[in-house]
Amino acid sequence: MNEITQVTDRMRAASWFFGGCLMACMAVACNGTNTNGTALPASDSDNGGLILPGGFEALTIIDSVGPTRHIAVNENGDIYAKFRMSKKGEGGSVAMRDLDGDGKIDSIVRFGDYEDLGGLAVGMTIHNGYLYTSSVKQVLRNKLQPGELVPTSRTEVILTDNDPNVGRNWHTTKPPAFDRHGNMYIPFGAPSDAGQDKALYGPTGTPGGKGLDPSPEREKHAGIWRFDAAKEGQTQEDGVQVATGLRSVVGMTWSPLDDHLYAVVNGIDNFHTIYPDKFTAWQGAVLPSEVMVRVTDGADFGWPYGYYDQIQGKNVLAPAYGGDGKMQGRAADFDLPVVGFPGHWAPMDILFYQGDQFPERYKQGAFVAFHGSTDRSPYPQAGYIVCFVPLVDGKAGEWEVFADGFTGVDTVENTSDAVYRPMGLAEGPDGSLYISESNDGRIWRIMFKGDRQAFGANELAVMEKQRSRSYIKTPEEGVDELDKGSMLEGGILYDTYCASCHQRNGMGDNNLYPPLAGSERVTGPVEPLVDIILNGLQGEITVKGKTYNGIMPPHANILDDHAAASIISYIRSRWDNDASPITPSEVRKIREKVVKK
């Protein structure tokens, strides 16, 4: 890899002799020590905004390195992070080093002469002295040399995804995981959301649509493949599929507890939007579960035919395959997850702690970082935490909130409200836990400075209180509802019901159907607009000085108040339209007035 940007010239002067200086500086500056006697740096007075169990403290080691994804920490404390997007020549990775021993990053170098397709790439892992980096299309590795921050070794291309649609497919992350036998594991995510015909309906699918049966996506996608960790030039055909039925794996690692592969999986979206006759808005917000799975050879976790319902505690038949939210059908035969988290929390990374700095209980389980939901409207968005899952013999206890405070707000109405979104997890050589986030690229170092032997219920009590937060608790149906439409849902519904006539760009067909972009009927008073959408329209209509005479069917029996508000809010804010959104309660009042019963 070629060095792209060097932020400080001092980086090259820092080599292995620096380690002694670092320890000396830390001994003076710190107020805590590891079990081996080495000093820990001073924490932020406010723990960098984080809320942690008693005895834990946090230091913001860098405030805004850029929109990063996964991270890795080398044995000398150097930190590597993967950027969300990169173009060739920009450097898709960043290397960071603390030069003066205060625990904060002083040297930042952007590197990596590779190109990413889209913004979904994750994967930054150190294994057997190599830095493995994943783009959407490839898995690369570089040998790390002692004292060297940016690897100067030859870049080895370990794996290439030759799917011609890899840049357009959904769920194309490739986080590598490694066993103890020289094998590397890579997920190949499902190109669609729920198994409908992608060529006809796109990756989201169409309301009420059926899934393809058998699903062709399960042949080369929706699963995990095993490869040689050191062999160059591999493609998917060189691997062996070990598990299937996994829609989207972003975080994956090998467990030292039971010598098995574990992964966290993102579940199907848009249940209420696509199947409003089978799922209420509340069910669409909390289902299906995001899961942690223990992967064994031949495992089948069911996608797209089934999903896990954490409320019922069982696998359930997916609606695209005839399910109604209760029946199991063939889903009863699929493998169960280790634990089911709430729906749409977006688990991004998983880490089994192996250090000696934290209390012993944290070596018996896994940390999971949740990026937070985008698909919970009309209820608050949720997730945005790091949790800990106790594990005994592969069986999970109740998950605990470990790190909170990332959102910066009490209620996340829209994903953009969250100040920080947890993304990557890594363990440092001294047992500190590092957490990265993807908005600005802030990275925290979590340290334990309490009494390891006395740690218990009292220290955990503060985190138990956090479960009442609106972005953590299960919302109460009909009570915690926000009176707001969803731009995400509005876009899906517009593409389904409106785009064939008014076009995806809102420009109409210049014949029968008028433009919505720049239309005074869209940006003007809302009651006539709601009336047209609910009751339909026949006859001539003038828009922007031109007359149109198409037929718009009624949608009163198709769109509920939230769906109608979502579509209207969407078109009033798209294509340079700049009009205020409309709420579901406003639609409800207008519906009562204009729709004949």
Side-chain angles (χ1 to χ4, degrees):
M1 295 183 179
N2 297 321
E3 183 175 324
I4 303 301
T5 305
Q6 182 167 320
V7 178
T8 173
D9 292 333
R10 292 182 294 165
M11 182 275 295
R12 292 199 178 279
S15 58
W16 283 106
F17 79 91
F18 174 74
C21 300
L22 173 61
M23 291 300 104
C25 291
M26 289 172 63
V28 174
C30 305
N31 57 9
T33 59
N34 278 315
T35 54
N36 62 7
T38 58
L40 294 171
S43 306
D44 293 335
S45 59
D46 65 347
N47 285 333
L50 298 188
I51 302 167
L52 301 163
F56 284 92
E57 299 179 12
L59 169 65
T60 303
I61 65 168
I62 190 165
D63 188 60
S64 53
V65 73
T68 55
R69 302 286 271 173
H70 284 177
I71 57 175
V73 183
N74 202 4
E75 59 186 11
N76 68 339
D78 288 344
I79 300 171
Y80 299 90
K82 176 76 180 62
F83 282 116
R84 185 169 65 89
M85 299 180 69
S86 69
K87 295 180 180 178
K88 195 168 182 63
E90 287 184 351
S93 306
V94 61
M96 294 165 277
R97 177 176 285 178
D98 169 22
L99 294 175
D100 58 13
D102 63 354
K104 297 187 177 183
I105 297 300
D106 307 297
S107 178
I108 306 170
V109 183
R110 188 163 181 166
F111 70 101
D113 192 15
Y114 59 86
E115 185 173 8
D116 263 341
L117 303 171
L120 297 175
V122 298
M124 182 65 75
T125 307
I126 296 174
H127 176 69
N128 283 348
Y130 284 88
L131 179 67
Y132 285 79
T133 304
S134 298
S135 68
V136 166
K137 188 175 178 64
Q138 293 181 314
V139 177
L140 315 171
R141 79 170 188 174
N142 291 84
K143 183 69 175 176
L144 293 170
Q145 302 295 336
E148 190 175 63
L149 179 58
V150 174
T152 57
S153 60
R154 180 178 66 87
T155 300
E156 301 175 23
V157 180
I158 302 300
L159 176 68
T160 299
D161 187 344
N162 288 325
D163 186 333
N165 298 313
V166 64
R168 297 191 298 272
N169 285 345
W170 283 12
H171 317 134
T172 50
T173 58
K174 291 182 174 61
F178 305 90
D179 64 18
R180 301 176 184 181
H181 311 289
N183 297 309
M184 176 181 73
Y185 298 81
I186 297 292
F188 288 78
S192 74
D193 181 25
Q196 292 191 33
D197 191 328
K198 191 163 67 75
L200 289 177
Y201 307 118
T204 302
T206 188
K210 295 183 178 180
L212 297 176
D213 197 0
S215 171
E217 294 185 48
R218 286 167 57 105
E219 295 178 10
K220 292 189 176 181
H221 298 89
I224 296 172
W225 275 254
R226 180 169 55 231
F227 300 90
D228 187 324
K231 183 180 178 182
E232 294 186 63
Q234 297 174 94
T235 66
Q236 187 176 17
E237 286 67 30
D238 295 305
V240 176
Q241 187 176 21
V242 296
T244 189
L246 298 162
R247 171 182 174 271
S248 175
V249 173
V250 184
M252 191 168 68
T253 192
W254 197 263
S255 169
L257 301 180
D258 59 5
D259 203 30
H260 273 82
L261 181 67
Y262 281 73
V264 284
V265 189
N266 289 251
I268 299 170
D269 293 321
N270 307 307
F271 267 10
H272 175 63
T273 305
I274 304 298
Y275 302 100
D277 58 329
K278 295 182 179 180
F279 293 90
T280 66
W282 180 82
Q283 288 174 308
V286 301
L287 296 172
S289 176
E290 315 275 51
V291 297
M292 176 197 294
V293 298
R294 180 178 184 266
V295 179
T296 56
D297 280 11
D300 186 346
F301 296 98
W303 185 94
Y305 309 127
Y307 64 92
Y308 185 71
D309 183 320
Q310 79 280 11
I311 299 171
Q312 299 184 68
K314 65 180 183 180
N315 288 329
V316 180
L317 192 65
Y321 294 87
D324 60 0
K326 296 180 180 179
M327 68 175 68
Q328 279 195 287
R330 69 174 106 171
D333 298 327
F334 298 135
D335 290 288
L336 290 169
V338 174
V339 62
F341 302 108
H344 315 297
W345 275 31
M348 293 288 113
D349 208 357
I350 177 173
L351 180 142
F352 285 88
Y353 184 79
Q354 300 180 63
D356 294 321
Q357 184 189 131
F358 288 11
E360 188 67 20
R361 71 188 304 275
Y362 290 105
K363 296 176 74 171
Q364 300 300 316
F367 290 99
V368 179
F370 293 96
H371 206 217
S373 67
T374 60
D375 181 32
R376 278 201 159 207
S377 183
Y379 292 88
Q381 302 303 323
Y384 311 98
I385 65 168
V386 173
C387 86
F388 177 73
V389 181
L391 287 168
V392 178
D393 297 328
K395 296 182 179 181
E398 185 176 4
W399 59 267
E400 308 163 359
V401 181
F402 176 77
D404 189 14
F406 299 96
T407 66
V409 295
D410 291 330
T411 301
V412 183
E413 296 185 2
N414 299 296
T415 305
S416 58
D417 296 338
V419 178
Y420 301 113
R421 301 183 69 187
M423 184 71 212
L425 301 171
E427 184 180 325
D430 69 346
S432 295
L433 176 67
Y434 293 81
I435 303 172
S436 67
E437 70 84 30
S438 66
N439 283 349
D440 298 324
R442 175 177 279 208
I443 301 175
W444 294 266
R445 178 179 176 180
I446 313 299
M447 301 166 286
F448 185 74
K449 297 184 179 181
D451 186 337
R452 295 175 70 247
Q453 303 305 318
F455 187 89
N458 289 338
E459 286 71 25
L460 292 170
V462 64
M463 306 313 298
E464 186 63 27
K465 294 179 181 179
Q466 299 305 112
R467 296 181 79 105
S468 64
R469 296 271 188 173
S470 64
Y471 51 84
I472 299 176
K473 72 172 187 175
T474 299
E476 186 174 346
E477 187 169 10
V479 175
D480 293 321
E481 220 174 309
L482 300 172
D483 190 24
K484 289 191 173 183
S486 164
M487 291 297 178
L488 175 65
E489 183 172 341
I492 294 170
L493 294 173
Y494 175 84
D495 287 345
T496 300
Y497 296 113
C498 314
S500 60
C501 296
H502 297 287
Q503 307 303 302
R504 288 181 181 267
N505 61 5
M507 297 304 294
D509 70 345
N510 201 34
N511 182 22
L512 295 175
Y513 303 105
L516 304 182
S519 168
E520 65 276 17
R521 292 180 177 271
V522 172
T523 59
V526 295
E527 183 173 319
L529 183 58
V530 174
D531 189 352
I532 291 174
I533 289 176
L534 296 182
N535 292 316
L537 182 68
Q538 293 187 45
E540 292 186 347
I541 184 173
T542 301
V543 175
K544 299 173 70 172
K546 183 174 179 177
T547 300
Y548 299 86
N549 196 17
I551 297 175
M552 179 165 173
H555 291 83
N557 294 329
I558 299 173
L559 303 175
D560 61 20
D561 297 330
H562 180 262
S566 298
I567 288 181
I568 293 169
S569 297
Y570 177 81
I571 65 175
R572 282 168 65 87
S573 65
R574 294 282 291 175
W575 317 299
D576 294 327
N577 291 342
D578 188 20
S580 60
I582 184 172
T583 65
S585 62
E586 289 177 286
V587 172
R588 187 176 307 117
K589 292 178 181 178
I590 297 172
R591 184 192 294 267
E592 293 173 353
K593 181 178 179 181
V594 304
V595 176
K596 297 179 181 180
K597 297 182 179 179

